Amino acid sequence: ALQLIHGGREPALRQRSLLKAMQTLVQAGHLAESTADKLKEAYLFLRRVENRVQMLRDEQTHSLPQDALMRYRIARGLNYANAAELENALQVHRDFVSEEFSNLLASKRHKAKTSAYSDYWRGLPDQSDARQLADLGFNNSEDLHQALLDFCKHSTVQSFNEKARARLDHVLPLILEAAAKSVAPESAMTRSLSLLHAIAKRTSFLALLEEKPVALQRLVDVVARSAWLSERLVEHPLLLDELLDHRVAQAFPDHKQLKTLASQALAIGDTEQALHALNEMRQSLSFRIAQATLFQQQAASESAEQLALLAEVILQAVLELAKAEIQSAHGTIDDAGFAIIGYGSVGAKELGFASDLDLVFLHNAPANAVSNGARSLDASRYFARLAQKIISLMQTITPAGRLYEVDMRLRPDGAKGLLVSSLDSFEEYQRERAWTWEHQALVRSRSLAGDDHVRARFEQVRSQSLQAHRDLILINTDVSAMRLRMRNELDRSTTVRFDLKQGNGGLVDMEFFLQARVMALANTNQAVLEMQRSPEIIEVLKSIGDIHETQANTLHAHYESLIAHSMICSLDQRPRIVELSDELREKCGQALKIYAEKGLDFGL
């Protein structure tokens, strides 16, 4: 049973040997080592007894003989003084195995308690009405009653056998009760019904919720708080495993572990299968990060960094898939490399749950280079095909969803520019033609995947561009003008509501402040070039004395508050706009004063 439950996600459990599988379950944390030791002892004991019984008369039997002499002979053959001693030892093992089996699979229902929730559900479709739901605490009772009525009459529910119907009759009132007591009763129940529709044909999921009341409570809590997680569960019910997985509360995989998971996905089979496996990996880990964020098990900035790391590793895997397909058709280009550069939130390791990836593609092939395949291409077309393949794979819809949307608008010359730039042209553009805002964008950029030489050269170009001597007054004037223009066009704040991203003192203001300081200081302080994340840049500015400790603490606290509120909004698929509390207004004012002291007029 444990192999069936976990083997879909853990290939190591797909083995025939019981004892080896048991040890793997221990290593994976699904079975306590002490329990496994006793189960192994019981298994070997039962096998020995079975063998002696079958050897006695050379019969394929699994029962102890009734004849007293025969039982005595078996007991002596197993080194027991008499049959009673054997039967006592047998009973000890049987009791232990039976208890463990019952703990795993026995129903937790006991006897269903009669409640107003079960009365309502069992009264559908003819005897219950919306007033009962209103009495239970649901405001939009008419619509919810109709939704429950439709669900009750659904053909799948009507076709349930007696056992499945009994499970539903136990589970649904519990969901109703949990939803009524949640932070958003109507949303919780509506989203739970969508999930029940999705899993209705898989009654094993109903059994799962019936046997695991803690999981049921957590499920309702999750869907009440997060439309995003609710949608993921409806689209991919296998993610219900994540609500039960003991590893959810454990440390997120580090870079090396993520690389191993991606390599396992690539090894599964062809491109289609590998892409499906990468999508499952992304869905599962993103779901885990979202839970940790939603229940405040880690800082929102840590979640954002984990999401960016996950995207980076997946992008590296997709590059390998794309290269394999392009090389099979067009060969390779000798002494030429290709790299993927991340800008914006992925570049700054501040990715959100629904963020797209701002990417730029670079290569270092000579202008006259051609590939060596049967269908050779010049360097420009070759790397353009490679980039197109990467974008296509990233956006391909699989049964497990799609990986990421890709945004290429930050490449040189924007939408009019080439899909892939040569390093020489990229360097020339940054030196000769880039606007101030494009150099700002370089602050939040880093190489994500590809050839080491191209990646190293990009870092050199980035450093040179940001270290170029600039007039401080001109930097502040350009950055302030761009920021005020953006706010006028994009800020959705009102007198009582605050736009977390574009509002006065919001996330973009902080990003622009930090970018301006990096450009102002990069020529004399190499340390400011080495960071992309906002908290890290704040720490560097403090370490070099550009801002004092109190200011740094103010900015850190404000950043964490803004990104935490932003992520919670994203998880519930709401606009990133919150109530403008006195505390938030004060924090924004404190941050804007720090910016103004450095010459940045963001409209204090």
Side-chain angles (χ1 to χ4, degrees):
L2 288 172
Q3 285 179 276
L4 286 171
I5 291 169
H6 300 288
R9 292 286 182 85
E10 301 175 44
L13 290 171
R14 302 170 199 166
Q15 54 180 294
R16 294 172 176 81
S17 168
L18 184 144
L19 293 179
K20 289 180 180 178
M22 193 184 298
Q23 186 57 38
T24 304
L25 287 165
V26 171
Q27 292 168 353
H30 301 304
L31 191 64
E33 187 168 6
S34 58
T35 301
D37 288 342
K38 290 185 178 180
L39 288 173
K40 178 181 178 181
E41 183 182 348
Y43 174 74
L44 294 176
F45 176 87
L46 291 166
R47 280 296 187 203
R48 283 195 299 271
V49 175
E50 178 191 49
N51 289 339
R52 295 301 190 276
V53 170
Q54 293 176 352
M55 290 163 62
L56 189 65
R57 291 182 176 175
D58 196 22
E59 293 177 340
Q60 186 67 17
T61 181
H62 307 281
S63 302
L64 284 172
Q66 296 298 316
D67 182 80
L69 178 60
M70 295 299 102
R71 285 202 176 207
Y72 176 75
R73 291 180 62 186
I74 291 171
R76 295 297 295 128
L78 290 165
N79 295 321
Y80 290 97
N82 51 54
E85 282 191 13
L86 169 62
E87 289 163 13
N88 288 338
L90 176 60
Q91 193 60 46
V92 169
H93 289 301
R94 288 182 60 194
D95 289 345
F96 180 78
V97 173
S98 179
E99 182 181 3
E100 289 302 314
F101 189 73
S102 296
N103 289 340
L104 176 67
L105 296 178
S107 174
K108 304 297 186 297
R109 281 184 296 172
H110 302 299
K111 213 166 182 184
K113 294 180 181 178
T114 302
S115 69
Y117 304 99
S118 59
D119 287 345
Y120 168 81
W121 169 247
R122 293 169 191 273
L124 290 177
D126 301 319
Q127 297 173 9
S128 296
D129 57 41
R131 286 175 299 177
Q132 290 171 268
L133 287 177
D135 292 341
L136 293 172
F138 295 97
N139 292 326
N140 196 10
S141 57
E142 291 289 346
D143 289 345
L144 183 56
H145 173 67
Q146 187 59 51
L148 282 157
L149 194 60
D150 291 342
F151 177 74
C152 175
K153 293 179 178 179
H154 195 275
S155 58
T156 302
V157 175
Q158 292 293 314
S159 67
F160 276 179
N161 60 31
E162 184 179 348
K163 188 175 183 180
R165 181 68 200 204
R167 281 175 172 160
L168 181 63
D169 287 345
H170 178 243
V171 166
L172 202 137
L174 293 178
I175 293 176
L176 264 174
E177 183 176 5
K181 297 175 180 178
S182 72
V183 295
E186 289 75 28
S187 295
M189 196 60 224
T190 302
R191 293 167 185 172
S192 294
L193 273 180
S194 297
L195 179 59
L196 287 172
H197 272 293
I199 67 174
K201 292 182 180 179
R202 306 177 189 179
T203 56
S204 58
F205 283 123
L206 287 176
L208 183 76
L209 294 175
E210 182 184 39
E211 307 300 341
K212 302 285 186 180
V214 173
L216 185 147
Q217 180 61 55
R218 187 174 181 85
L219 170 65
V220 175
D221 201 8
V222 163
V223 300
R225 295 167 180 265
S226 173
W228 186 85
L229 284 171
S230 179
E231 279 192 7
R232 300 286 81 72
L233 285 167
V234 171
E235 293 171 2
H236 312 289
L238 285 174
L239 289 172
L240 280 169
D241 290 350
E242 294 295 330
L243 289 170
L244 301 176
D245 199 328
H246 69 283
R247 294 168 300 180
V248 170
Q250 294 184 0
F252 186 76
D254 60 24
H255 188 261
K256 183 178 179 181
Q257 292 168 327
L258 285 175
K259 293 279 286 183
T260 299
L261 290 172
S263 297
Q264 291 172 350
L266 293 183
I268 284 177
D270 59 20
T271 299
E272 183 177 348
Q273 292 174 312
L275 206 57
H276 185 191
L278 286 172
N279 271 280
E280 284 195 331
M281 170 185 166
R282 187 221 169 185
Q283 292 280 6
S284 176
L285 292 175
S286 296
F287 195 93
R288 192 182 303 182
I289 297 169
Q291 284 195 81
T293 307
L294 194 64
F295 295 105
Q296 299 181 337
Q297 294 167 334
Q298 62 186 29
S301 58
E302 184 179 354
S303 298
E305 187 173 10
Q306 289 172 353
L307 288 168
L309 179 60
L310 176 60
E312 178 182 342
V313 170
I314 286 177
L315 195 57
Q316 292 167 356
V318 169
L319 174 58
E320 293 305 309
L321 289 175
K323 283 168 60 178
E325 291 201 16
I326 295 300
Q327 289 173 4
S328 67
H330 306 291
T332 60
I333 298 180
D334 295 334
D335 300 321
F338 173 91
I340 304 174
I341 311 303
Y343 276 70
S345 56
V346 69
K349 304 178 190 175
E350 297 173 354
L351 202 62
F353 290 101
S355 298
D356 54 17
L357 304 185
D358 293 302
L359 302 180
V360 168
F361 299 125
L362 300 175
H363 74 84
N364 65 350
N368 60 351
V370 295
S371 65
N372 56 17
R375 290 180 287 162
S376 63
L377 295 172
D378 62 70
S380 179
R381 286 195 297 163
Y382 181 91
F383 289 114
R385 292 272 180 93
L386 178 58
Q388 289 165 349
K389 176 58 67 175
I390 292 168
I391 295 171
S392 174
L393 291 174
M394 292 287 280
Q395 299 181 163
T396 295
I397 297 175
T398 74
R402 65 177 166 189
L403 293 172
Y404 298 94
E405 287 283 351
V406 175
D407 190 336
M408 299 294 300
R409 289 176 294 178
L410 287 177
R411 66 186 187 268
D413 292 317
K416 298 178 182 178
L418 294 173
L419 187 61
V420 186
S421 301
S422 72
L423 270 168
D424 290 340
S425 66
F426 180 80
E427 181 177 13
E428 184 271 334
Y429 181 87
Q430 296 297 333
R431 185 178 61 248
E432 305 292 341
R433 294 184 287 137
W435 296 79
T436 299
W437 69 266
E438 290 177 291
H439 284 155
Q440 282 182 245
L442 277 177
V443 174
R444 291 165 60 85
S445 70
R446 62 192 175 98
S447 61
L448 301 178
D451 178 78
D452 289 341
H453 295 291
V454 180
R455 297 177 71 173
R457 175 85 182 281
F458 162 75
E459 296 297 342
Q460 290 178 354
V461 173
R462 175 181 179 272
S463 296
Q464 291 166 1
S465 300
L466 293 174
Q467 285 177 317
H469 177 72
R470 293 183 179 86
D471 181 277
L472 179 58
I473 295 177
L474 180 60
I475 290 174
N476 288 343
T477 300
D478 285 351
V479 171
S480 297
M482 175 61 73
R483 181 66 200 107
L484 292 175
R485 177 182 170 186
M486 286 178 65
R487 179 175 297 131
N488 289 335
E489 294 179 359
L490 301 174
D491 186 8
R492 297 169 293 175
S493 300
T494 66
T495 54
V496 295
R497 304 283 285 171
F498 181 71
D499 187 329
L500 292 163
K501 183 175 181 181
Q502 298 292 346
N504 195 9
L507 281 166
V508 176
D509 279 1
M510 185 173 293
E511 290 171 10
F512 271 47
F513 164 72
L514 296 175
Q515 291 160 11
R517 297 315 297 157
V518 169
M519 289 192 294
L521 299 166
N523 197 38
T524 55
N525 292 273
Q526 177 71 26
V528 299
L529 293 171
E530 297 172 0
M531 304 299 175
Q532 290 89 8
R533 293 182 66 230
S534 297
E536 292 171 347
I537 297 175
I538 292 170
E539 278 301 296
V540 171
L541 294 181
K542 183 182 74 172
S543 70
I544 63 176
D546 189 58
I547 57 176
H548 54 71
E549 186 172 1
T550 302
Q551 291 175 318
N553 292 340
T554 297
L555 292 179
H556 276 308
H558 190 41
Y559 172 80
E560 287 293 345
S561 175
L562 289 173
I563 198 168
H565 281 98
S566 181
M567 280 200 160
I568 293 300
C569 289
S570 295
L571 282 174
D572 206 25
Q573 295 182 332
R574 291 182 277 117
R576 287 186 284 181
I577 301 174
V578 298
E579 179 185 353
L580 182 56
S581 64
D582 291 340
E583 181 184 4
L584 180 56
R585 183 183 286 107
E586 182 181 358
K587 286 182 177 179
C588 288
Q590 291 171 346
L592 288 167
K593 286 181 182 178
I594 295 172
Y595 309 156
E597 286 179 15
K598 296 298 181 182
L600 291 160
D601 177 15
F602 290 163
L604 179 62

